[in-house]
Amino acid sequence: MTDRAFVVVRAGALTTVQDRGRSGHAHMGVPRSGALDPDAAALANRLVGNGVEAAVLETTLAGCAVRPRCAVTVAVGGAPCRVSVDGRPVAWGAAVRVEAGAVLEVGGAERGVRSYVAFAGGVAAGPVLGSRSTDLLSGLGPAPLADGMVLPLGAAPPPGTARYEVAPWRGVPEEVVLRVRLGPRDDWFTAGALRTFGTGAYRVSSASNRVGLRLEGPPLERARAGELPSEGMVLGAVQVPPDGRPVVFLADHPTTGGYPVVGVVREADLAVAAQAAPGTRVRFVRVG
């Protein structure tokens, strides 16, 4: 077992390959995709000596387990979780050496939603439109991990490129505050709905995924009936479907849509939004 690859022993609830995404293709109907918590993915990459653009595994809530076919340095970051090698506990947020044939077990998220597994050399799945990211909406990129799948690893980085860092993680507060700029279709909602949007208590729905953070809470009443012709959608757009409950678009969002967008969340706030587990309180704060 000397080839640079790993076998998926346990795929978990949803584990995908992610990198920095494939920006610049929205005109073809292709969203950016990429790691939902890019800072956490970049830190895990630095810990094993990779560039920040290297592809990693993104787990969702339940973790995963893999068996490398070669000795490889690995780091697990993002949502804190238990990490073990052949049943022996090892450090989360630090570089760990995993020998060929050993099983790296990434446990369920203890806080947050998504953990990141970086391998020295990166996950070398074939790129599509310049990215190795799995896009759940369009189906581009490698398929979500399944038990028994084999994925290649890239060439190991030169010795001395790994960085020792304390692994800071912002965590998820009890109430996530999302800064939002109103528009472009805030005029489709009543004045009362806009007040509710800025003061209402929302919670993350279990129906949330990489496409969007779905929220439960007070519906937003429309001032106008009917539907819009499809128009462009951006990362962080807060779309309001007919039930009136906001959906915050994340990395795998559609590039067009016909429901009105009441506002757009600042991109800097989307990582903590993506780490908010079902039931987490969410509040919107209007910014100029």
Side-chain angles (χ1 to χ4, degrees), residues 147-219:
D147 294 357
M149 182 183 289
V150 178
L151 286 169
L153 295 172
T161 55
R163 291 173 56 181
Y164 175 79
E165 302 182 33
V166 176
W169 190 67
R170 66 182 66 80
V172 180
E174 291 186 3
E175 182 179 69
V176 171
V177 176
L178 301 179
R179 294 168 293 177
V180 62
R181 183 188 297 271
L182 289 184
R185 300 298 179 184
D186 52 308
D187 59 340
W188 276 58
F189 299 90
T190 65
L194 296 180
R195 286 193 297 271
T196 296
F197 182 58
T199 61
Y202 292 94
R203 289 188 181 272
V204 176
S205 166
S206 59
S208 300
N209 55 25
R210 283 185 48 85
V211 174
L213 189 75
R214 296 183 178 274
L215 300 177
E216 299 170 345

Side-chain angles (χ1 to χ4, degrees), residues 23-112:
S23 59
H25 301 289
H27 64 292
M28 299 191 301
V30 177
R32 182 188 307 183
S33 196
L36 292 187
D37 190 342
D39 289 345
L43 175 58
N45 269 323
R46 291 197 301 269
L47 289 171
V48 299
N50 294 339
V52 296
E53 73 284 349
V56 300
L57 298 182
E58 179 184 270
T59 72
T60 308
L61 290 174
C64 69
V66 299
R67 179 185 291 112
R69 290 180 169 177
C70 61
V72 63
T73 301
V74 178
V76 180
C81 59
R82 295 185 179 183
V83 185
S84 65
V85 175
D86 278 348
R88 175 177 57 86
V90 297
W92 167 88
V96 173
R97 188 70 170 172
V98 181
E99 298 301 325
V103 174
L104 172 72
E105 178 78 32
V106 180
E110 296 175 352
R111 300 191 308 280

Side-chain angles (χ1 to χ4, degrees), residues 236-252:
V238 184
Q239 194 183 64
V240 183
D243 68 3
R245 290 173 174 83
V247 179
V248 181
F249 277 165
L250 301 178
D252 287 359

